[in-house]
Amino acid sequence: MTAMPDQDVEMGRAPAPMPNKIRTQHVSVYYGDKCAIKDVSLDIESNRVTAFIGPSGCGKSTFLRCINRMNDTIDICRVDGSIVLDGTDIYDSKIDVVQLRARVGMVFQKPNPFPKSIYDNVAYGPRIHGLVSGRGETDDVVEASLNRAGLWDEVKDRLQDPGTSLSGGQQQRLCIARAIAVQPEVILMDEPCSALDPIATARIEELIDELRANYTIIIVTHSMQQAARVSQRTAFFHLGDLIEFGDTEQVFTNPIEQKTQDYITGRFG
Amino acid sequence: MTTLLIVVLLGLSAIAFQTGRKKALRATAGNIAPLHSLPTYYGTYVALWVGIPSLIVIGLWLAFEPQIINALLLAALPGDVRGLSPAELGLQINDIKNHAAGGITSSELSPRLQEVADYYLGLRQNGLLGMTIVAVAAGVGGLAVGWRHVTSTFRARNHVERTIRVVLIIASSIAILTTVGIVLSLLFESIRFFAQVSPIEFLFGLQWSPQTALRADQVGQSGAFGAVPIFAGTLMITIIAMAIAVPIGLFSAIYMAEYASSQFRSVIKPVLEVLAGIPTVVYGFFAALTVAPAIRGFGEGLGLSVASESALAAGLVMGIMIIPFVSSLSDDVINAVPQSLRDGSYAMGATKSETVRQVILPAALPGIVGSVLLAVSRAIGETMIVVMAAGLSANLTANPFEAVTTVTVQIVTLLTGDQEFDSAKTLAAFALGLVLFIITLGLNVVALRVVRRYREKYD
Amino acid sequence: MTDLLAGRALTDAAARRQLNRRHRAERRFKYYGLAAIFAALGVLAVLLVTIVGAGYSAFQQTHIQLDIELREDLIDPDGTRKEADIRQANYAVLVRDALIKIFPDASGRRDRRALARLVSSGADIQLLNMVLADATLIGSTQTIWFKASADFDSLSKGQIPRDVPEDARKVSDKQIAWFDHLAALGLVEKKFNTGFFTTADSREPEQAGILGAVVGSLLTLIVTLVLSFPIGVMAAVYLEEFAPKNRLTDFIEININNLAAVPSIVFGLLGLAVFLNFFGLPRSAPLVGGMVLALMTLPTIIIASRAALRAVPPSIREAALGMGASPVQTVTHHVLPLAMPGILTGTIIGMAQALGETAPLLMIGMVAFIVDVPGSFTDAATVLPVQVFLWADAPERGFVERTSAAIMVLLAFLIVMNILAVVLRRRFERRW
């Protein structure tokens, strides 16, 4: 737990990024009586891509959803332990999830653009958070975000088309643009390419690499190759346990644990 | 006689079943294996040969007996009676029938009519006897035909199953027949109405007073069939009802779907459904007994003059009736919005209400529009509340404190009580019914299509 | 990373203010939802309280005890003891004489008539039936409880205020004095109103009961069930299990969905034009009412049955077909039994709707005033909701509480049916 003074628990913008953006300590997650994550402690570094890998049902997505408290929307879900973002425990009762999620954005497995125009999809976040006022400012944010997500050139002539009219890969990049439009510090990606074809996947992976300069990124993936390609740090989960966590190169070439070895060589999974 | 017929036919079918089964078994010396189908199928096959022909006979008789007997009766009447006006003729025929049934007649029958009555009674009895004989003969004949078909290689099961399919198709077609019946009966009577009153006058006339003079010497009541005041009244009550039902229904649906805990939902939802299960006549009584006087008292407290059958009272109670309708339909529609959209919005840091207003409601809008259209159609067609709480007089007014009347109220008023069936007054009810049917049908078709599209979008 | 929104850094205070505003909006929105739900619940409560409050008193009936001298010279002056003679006697006089004996001061025709109005006008029938049942009573004096007339029933239940001017109420000061005197003598008592459940309609509120309407509803529902259940299930089976995907099937589906939303009164018009006028079936009969309601409930049953059939997993069908069962055998042996609880639930709900339906029955003449309990499907009859409608229209004060009581009975039936449906669903619900 952190020793922050009480009145300052609210999420203010941190002055300078600390080397460890997120520290999680002894995190356990329960769905009703079932334990989905057992006592996980790991640190996420700033401006790096951290990959969570493991067989399906290992709890990696559950753990990811703890980091912006998306598990709050599930009634029976309970989280123990602490997750500290820039020195603030995000499970503190005084924390406002609305503010938290503005700082920790998320991209989902299946592209989920809102049934609105491309423009309104991107403008949605800045508008609800009051980050923009007036048409001009909104236009700027939309263009900048779409640019950064590498989508601007493809959609600049049809911003008023519905977001759902785009192809799968474009939709996912739209969702990334939507997420970065609120200026988050961390972006969580839950198997962002699992519904996409290889070309679209390659495009997203490039994008992730570019975004690393400005954001801290955590990506859950079932593809070991993808983890090896995009991440600098890798965590391997199995049946709710964190088995191994280290530099991606080390985890893939010289794993410490036997289970990790078995998994990356394809003996199970 | 009818009970006897049923018993005989059931017995005959049972015999047919047994003989069919036995013959099949006998054909293979009691061995089931060489038979094409199970023995019961052979039995059923022969039994169907008994049942279907005799049922066809009975059905034809039920459908055409009254018309044939009536025609014969008419032909047997003395010439001077046949020359009477249709209304008086109908009265005479009624008397004859009542006399034949041993009931009370409005006047003593003349000996000649007495004879006709006896003739009529004889006709009916002979008809029934004849039908019974023909039906039983058809059954016996069927038995013989079916029985001859039974051999060890006969594909009894396939024949039985094909018959079952035909019966199933007939059952499904009842829905079409009902629609056709509705359309034809409304159209037929409406055409007769429009032969007396021009459609232009009906649809655009501003004066509605359907009392036509019964006798030529009655003054005044010549009958006016301008239905605009009725349409306006229906519209006003519908608008009032929607103004109550849509916001309350929609907000309860939103709360139920997005905010309520599962315990809250499991208690409150069934209670709200109680509101939907209350018969409309109870709402009508509630409107007349409690709501209308309350509104009147309230209005008078404010110095307004409020009719005791104000449009407001009827509309209010109708709105209450429709709340659960709107809320359960909207609840379904809101729940059909995929969770991924909610997740997307929450992950951006949106609050629940922002998510509802800016993501869920726009996504669910077509479905909600569909539900509201269905609710409107329901309000327009609702009868008992307005019959009991709205007025009868066709006022053309925009003041909700005054009494107005609606399409359904007029249909009920025109068709209850004693009147001859051919007058413009009763036929007008069918013309109103036709308008009601067309409008609600249009609303339903559009609404169902919108809702269906919406469902497909998120499946 | 601040280049996106350069020049617009929010101060902490401004951010906090904005956040507070958003949270206030959130709470407001939530309260609107709660308010809507409680508005609906509140109305339901008011409705039920109103009905029960107005209706519970109808389950009690004020009775007046009188000593009746069954004078032979009036009942059977010739001593024949023949039914025809006994029927002809004027029993009302006996009741009036008994009253006059208690109030000898009531002289003159007007007073005596006013006095006689204390007791229900059905008292003479009650006496006649007594004498018919046991002729030996003739000549004796019997102590008998009679129903008080509706106005005095209301008076004793406190529904007629005593403190308004005499001409503003239906009972005179003198009558009230008589009634109070009877009460002081212990001759007035409220008893459970059995007559309400054992008699049919009447013009006199104190003699009116719901038996006729209940039996009418029962007969009508039997016809509805017998027609709509088999046809509905067969149609659902065909559409769900056998129908090819073609124009005809689509058309049938559209028809069913539309019929489910056609106003019920239109079905009444159909019944009037086709069943009564074209086929010449009897007016006001449960047979016709049941047929109309069957057409109305058919879509409900078909839609519910189809949903139940669809819930049976395809693997069951495949298993049966794989064993060499024919499609018809598959459906009748496996699919239909598994879907039956759902089908029955839908049917009960459809029947509950039919039980509460009024409007189409008005069209086919089931609004007639009928004093007899119907004995067959072709007798003139009325049903419970129509009885409610008729009584709600009646001007007599005594019918208000009876209307509410009839509604309570109707609601009780509906609640029982719905509980049955819920129990059935809970008991047999299967999650695949």
Side-chain angles (χ1 to χ4, degrees):
Chain A
M1 300 299 284
T2 51
M4 293 284 290
D6 265 353
Q7 70 274 19
D8 221 47
V9 172
E10 196 174 322
M11 309 295 295
R13 301 258 162 177
M18 292 199 288
N20 279 343
K21 188 75 182 167
I22 299 167
R23 294 185 82 111
T24 71
Q25 277 166 337
H26 308 297
V27 173
S28 297
V29 183
Y30 302 88
Y31 288 112
D33 297 333
K34 202 175 146 270
C35 182
I37 288 283
K38 281 173 245 162
D39 194 24
V40 169
S41 304
L42 55 75
D43 294 345
I44 308 285
E45 292 167 28
S46 270
N47 296 87
R48 297 263 201 135
V49 177
T50 305
F52 292 173
I53 61 168
S56 29
C58 68
K60 53 191 193 295
S61 287
T62 302
F63 187 65
L64 187 79
R65 291 167 69 96
C66 290
I67 298 171
N68 68 345
R69 291 183 57 176
M70 278 304 281
N71 286 333
D72 286 14
T73 56
I74 302 163
D75 282 343
I76 56 165
C77 183
R78 188 162 57 82
V79 179
D80 285 350
S82 76
I83 298 177
V84 176
L85 172 67
D86 285 342
T88 311
D89 184 354
I90 64 166
Y91 278 90
D92 190 291
S93 61
K94 295 199 176 77
I95 286 297
D96 185 351
V97 288
V98 167
Q99 247 186 326
L100 167 70
R101 290 175 188 155
R103 287 182 61 187
V104 184
M106 188 162 185
V107 176
F108 295 84
Q109 188 168 355
K110 249 181 79 189
N112 57 352
F114 301 135
K116 301 165 172 280
S117 69
I118 294 169
Y119 182 95
D120 286 336
N121 259 287
V122 181
Y124 177 71
R127 277 182 185 148
I128 59 171
H129 289 293
L131 298 177
V132 290
S133 59
R135 185 80 198 183
E137 260 181 64
T138 316
D139 285 348
D140 293 343
V141 173
V142 169
E143 183 176 346
S145 307
L146 284 170
N147 243 325
R148 190 162 283 186
L151 197 59
W152 176 252
D153 292 332
E154 292 162 59
V155 300
K156 65 182 177 208
D157 300 325
R158 47 183 183 129
L159 287 174
Q160 293 311 317
D161 286 8
T164 44
S165 67
L166 297 172
S167 74
Q170 287 174 323
Q171 285 191 15
Q172 195 63 298
R173 276 181 281 149
L174 176 64
C175 291
I176 293 174
R178 190 175 71 185
I180 57 185
V182 278
Q183 293 175 283
E185 295 152 33
V186 181
I187 301 178
L188 309 176
M189 296 188 171
D190 188 359
E191 303 195 20
C193 304
S194 66
L196 304 181
D197 61 75
I199 296 169
T201 302
R203 187 73 195 79
I204 302 270
E205 285 178 8
E206 257 172 59
L207 177 60
I208 292 172
D209 206 48
E210 287 164 20
L211 292 172
R212 180 159 66 90
N214 295 312
Y215 307 96
T216 303
I217 295 175
I218 307 174
I219 179 168
V220 163
T221 176
H222 58 263
S223 151
M224 282 174 287
Q225 291 85 344
Q226 185 171 56
R229 282 195 300 266
V230 302
S231 72
Q232 288 79 49
R233 303 274 287 166
T234 296
F236 171 58
F237 287 81
H238 183 237
L239 296 177
D241 287 314
L242 175 63
I243 306 295
E244 187 162 352
F245 181 45
D247 283 340
T248 301
E249 218 177 289
Q250 172 257 314
V251 171
F252 277 97
T253 55
N254 186 19
I256 300 162
E257 299 288 331
Q258 182 61 34
K259 265 191 194 148
T260 319
Q261 173 77 30
D262 290 349
Y263 182 67
I264 60 176
T265 53
R267 272 194 218 148
F268 74 95
Chain B
M1 187 65 101
T2 26
T3 346
L4 184 71
L5 178 60
I6 290 166
V7 170
V8 166
L9 285 180
L10 282 179
L12 208 55
S13 306
I15 294 168
F17 182 82
Q18 284 303 329
T19 51
R21 214 176 71 95
K22 291 242 174 71
K23 186 182 176 194
L25 278 173
R26 225 181 310 119
T28 57
N31 233 338
I32 292 181
L35 281 175
H36 172 269
S37 315
L38 287 173
T40 47
Y41 279 104
Y42 292 94
T44 313
Y45 176 77
V46 184
L48 284 173
W49 263 104
V50 172
I52 293 173
S54 47
L55 279 180
I56 289 174
V57 171
I58 296 173
L60 287 175
W61 185 76
L62 283 178
F64 296 109
E65 187 251 14
Q67 278 93 327
I68 295 173
I69 299 258
N70 267 352
L72 288 174
L73 175 63
L74 213 56
L77 283 175
D80 55 323
V81 178
R82 248 183 295 163
L84 288 171
S85 76
E88 284 175 72
L89 187 64
L91 199 64
Q92 290 283 4
I93 289 179
N94 246 346
D95 270 357
I96 292 169
K97 286 184 180 170
N98 280 340
H99 180 82
I104 308 146
T105 51
S106 64
S107 59
E108 241 356 90
L109 286 181
S110 68
R112 260 196 321 171
L113 289 186
Q114 203 111 23
E115 260 172 52
V116 178
D118 293 340
Y119 169 69
Y120 169 77
L121 199 61
L123 268 184
R124 291 208 59 175
Q125 279 167 350
N126 289 335
L128 189 61
L129 186 67
M131 183 275 292
T132 308
I133 292 168
V134 173
V136 172
V140 172
L143 197 158
V145 173
W147 188 78
R148 278 186 40 205
H149 285 169
V150 175
T151 60
S152 66
T153 52
F154 179 68
R155 297 152 74 89
R157 201 197 70 229
N158 304 43
H159 282 90
V160 170
E161 293 192 344
R162 201 170 311 140
T163 315
I164 291 177
R165 277 191 191 220
V166 170
V167 172
L168 293 184
I169 292 176
I170 292 173
S172 321
S173 319
I174 302 271
I176 298 182
L177 281 182
T178 311
T179 310
V180 170
I182 289 173
V183 171
L184 285 187
S185 54
L186 291 180
L187 262 184
F188 190 66
E189 307 294 349
S190 300
I191 288 170
R192 284 167 65 191
F193 172 72
F194 289 126
Q196 297 178 34
V197 176
S198 91
I200 306 288
E201 191 206 325
F202 176 69
L203 288 177
F204 302 106
L206 300 180
Q207 181 71 34
W208 178 268
S209 87
Q211 302 304 328
T212 37
L214 284 176
R215 297 187 312 273
D217 55 328
Q218 270 180 324
V219 257
Q221 311 290 11
S222 58
F225 293 96
V228 169
I230 301 177
F231 299 149
T234 310
L235 188 69
M236 172 143 81
I237 289 185
T238 306
I239 289 173
I240 296 170
M242 286 300 130
I244 300 289
V246 171
I248 295 185
L250 198 54
F251 266 109
S252 2
I254 290 171
Y255 190 87
M256 286 290 189
E258 301 295 325
Y259 288 97
S261 67
S262 56
Q263 291 118 307
F264 184 85
R265 204 164 31 231
S266 69
V267 174
I268 299 299
K269 223 178 163 183
V271 178
L272 277 185
E273 274 165 19
V274 170
L275 215 48
I278 292 177
T280 54
V281 71
V282 177
Y283 282 110
F285 182 63
F286 178 62
L289 183 78
T290 312
V291 179
I295 287 180
R296 192 169 183 191
F298 180 72
E300 274 166 2
L302 292 178
L304 295 164
S305 91
V306 181
S308 60
E309 299 186 317
S310 63
L312 194 57
L316 205 71
V317 174
M318 196 190 277
I320 293 166
M321 183 202 82
I322 293 176
I323 290 172
F325 192 72
V326 173
S327 79
S328 80
L329 281 174
S330 307
D331 197 12
D332 291 350
V333 164
I334 290 172
N335 279 324
V337 173
Q339 183 62 30
S340 67
L341 288 184
R342 292 185 182 82
D343 284 351
S345 178
Y346 293 142
M348 311 276 305
T351 61
K352 264 194 175 161
S353 64
E354 284 159 356
T355 306
V356 168
R357 274 190 308 230
Q358 301 192 32
V359 177
I360 296 176
L361 287 187
L365 192 63
I368 291 173
V369 169
S371 341
V372 171
L373 287 182
L374 282 177
V376 169
S377 134
R378 181 101 184 229
I380 291 176
E382 168 48 39
T383 308
M384 293 321 294
I385 294 176
V386 280
V387 165
M388 295 168 82
L392 291 177
S393 56
N395 294 326
L396 191 54
T397 171
N399 179 357
F401 295 117
E402 277 187 50
V404 295
T405 190
T406 73
V407 173
T408 48
V409 172
Q410 286 305 316
I411 294 176
V412 170
T413 334
L414 294 175
L415 286 181
T416 50
D418 300 318
Q419 71 281 88
E420 76 259 62
F421 195 71
D422 283 337
S423 73
K425 192 181 142 192
T426 51
L427 293 176
F430 283 89
L432 287 174
L434 185 66
V435 172
L436 179 68
F437 180 71
I438 290 173
I439 289 176
T440 52
L441 184 75
L443 285 169
N444 295 341
V445 168
V446 173
L448 290 172
R449 190 163 294 176
V450 168
V451 172
R452 195 193 220 183
R453 282 261 169 82
Y454 169 78
R455 288 264 157 76
E456 281 165 1
K457 193 167 138 197
Y458 290 122
D459 260 350
Chain C
M1 69 165 263
T2 47
D3 63 327
L4 264 179
L5 293 167
R8 197 188 149 75
L10 287 169
T11 64
D12 267 2
R16 203 173 303 225
R17 261 207 307 282
Q18 207 231 337
L19 206 62
N20 286 339
R21 195 172 47 73
R22 286 174 66 196
H23 282 304
R24 274 199 305 277
E26 169 73 18
R27 275 195 297 276
R28 246 191 338 264
F29 193 75
K30 190 173 168 179
Y31 288 138
Y32 291 154
L34 264 181
I37 287 177
F38 283 107
L41 294 182
V43 170
L44 178 65
V46 170
L47 191 151
L48 292 179
V49 167
T50 312
I51 301 281
V52 173
Y56 77 96
S57 53
F59 294 109
Q60 289 217 310
Q61 166 74 40
T62 309
H63 283 70
I64 296 175
Q65 188 190 51
L66 293 175
D67 290 328
I68 300 289
E69 195 188 344
L70 296 163
R71 285 159 55 190
E72 184 164 12
D73 59 316
L74 270 175
I75 298 172
D76 191 15
D78 306 332
T80 59
R81 295 291 188 269
K82 274 193 196 138
E83 194 186 324
D85 292 336
I86 293 176
R87 274 185 188 283
Q88 288 204 331
N90 185 353
Y91 294 91
V93 173
L94 297 177
V95 179
R96 202 172 69 194
D97 287 352
L99 279 165
I100 291 169
K101 206 181 260 175
I102 303 174
F103 300 107
D105 60 319
S107 52
R109 284 175 55 119
R110 281 188 55 183
D111 268 8
R112 291 182 171 197
R113 212 182 295 159
L115 184 59
R117 283 212 194 99
L118 262 62
V119 176
S120 163
S121 62
D124 52 346
I125 310 282
Q126 190 185 342
L127 279 181
L128 168 65
N129 287 336
M130 243 179 78
V131 174
L132 280 179
D134 183 4
T136 59
L137 294 176
I138 298 174
S140 68
T141 298
Q142 298 289 326
T143 305
I144 301 168
W145 285 101
F146 292 101
K147 286 175 176 172
S149 69
D151 288 335
F152 291 92
D153 187 35
S154 301
L155 181 75
S156 81
K157 286 171 182 168
Q159 291 160 348
I160 293 182
R162 288 160 181 260
D163 48 4
V164 295
E166 186 174 6
D167 47 355
R169 51 179 142 81
K170 288 193 103 180
V171 292
S172 68
D173 286 343
K174 214 179 219 172
Q175 284 175 315
I176 291 181
W178 286 330
F179 186 78
D180 289 344
H181 184 67
L182 283 175
L185 289 175
L187 299 178
V188 174
E189 206 172 276
K190 276 186 224 150
K191 300 181 172 201
F192 182 71
N193 190 359
T194 44
F196 186 66
F197 298 98
T198 55
T199 56
D201 200 5
S202 166
R203 294 273 185 231
E204 305 300 328
E206 78 277 3
Q207 295 169 43
I210 54 168
L211 184 65
V214 169
V215 173
S217 275
L218 190 71
L219 292 173
T220 308
L221 278 194
I222 288 173
V223 175
T224 306
L225 183 67
V226 163
L227 289 176
S228 63
F229 179 69
I231 295 179
V233 174
M234 287 196 288
V237 165
Y238 179 72
L239 292 173
E240 206 54 47
E241 304 288 330
F242 297 113
K245 196 83 194 113
N246 60 22
R247 281 246 180 95
L248 179 70
T249 320
D250 276 353
F251 186 60
I252 293 177
E253 282 215 54
I254 293 171
N255 263 299
I256 290 170
N257 287 334
N258 279 326
L259 283 180
V262 164
S264 59
I265 194 169
V266 172
F267 286 95
L269 290 173
L270 170 77
L272 173 59
V274 174
F275 296 148
L276 296 191
N277 290 336
F278 187 73
F279 284 118
L281 293 172
R283 261 177 92 85
S284 313
L287 176 69
V288 181
M291 285 162 73
V292 169
L293 293 182
L295 292 182
M296 227 188 67
T297 24
L298 209 49
T300 312
I301 295 181
I302 295 178
I303 291 169
S305 304
R306 290 188 67 180
L309 289 169
R310 218 174 299 142
V312 177
S315 60
I316 302 270
R317 294 180 186 84
E318 283 158 12
L321 291 171
M323 298 282 294
S326 71
V328 172
Q329 285 171 328
T330 304
V331 170
T332 49
H333 297 172
H334 301 283
V335 180
L336 209 49
L338 288 172
M340 218 16 116
I343 294 176
L344 289 179
T345 308
T347 307
I348 294 174
I349 288 169
M351 287 298 119
Q353 270 173 19
L355 174 60
E357 197 51 72
T358 320
L361 302 179
L362 302 184
M363 298 292 91
I364 54 160
M366 287 186 100
V367 269
F369 168 70
I370 291 150
V371 193
D372 297 319
V373 177
S376 84
F377 293 109
T378 47
D379 282 357
T382 188
V383 295
L384 210 40
V386 176
Q387 189 71 74
V388 169
F389 170 64
L390 285 170
W391 283 352
D393 245 16
E396 287 89 351
R397 176 87 194 58
F399 276 121
V400 173
E401 61 172 23
R402 276 172 172 74
T403 312
S404 305
I407 287 175
M408 285 160 72
V409 173
L410 178 60
L411 290 182
F413 276 117
L414 290 175
I415 288 169
V416 168
M417 289 171 87
N418 279 299
I419 287 177
L420 202 64
V422 170
V423 167
L424 203 65
R425 187 158 42 196
R426 291 257 166 89
R427 180 101 168 63
F428 293 102
E429 193 174 50
R430 223 185 260 247
R431 291 242 169 257
W432 300 99

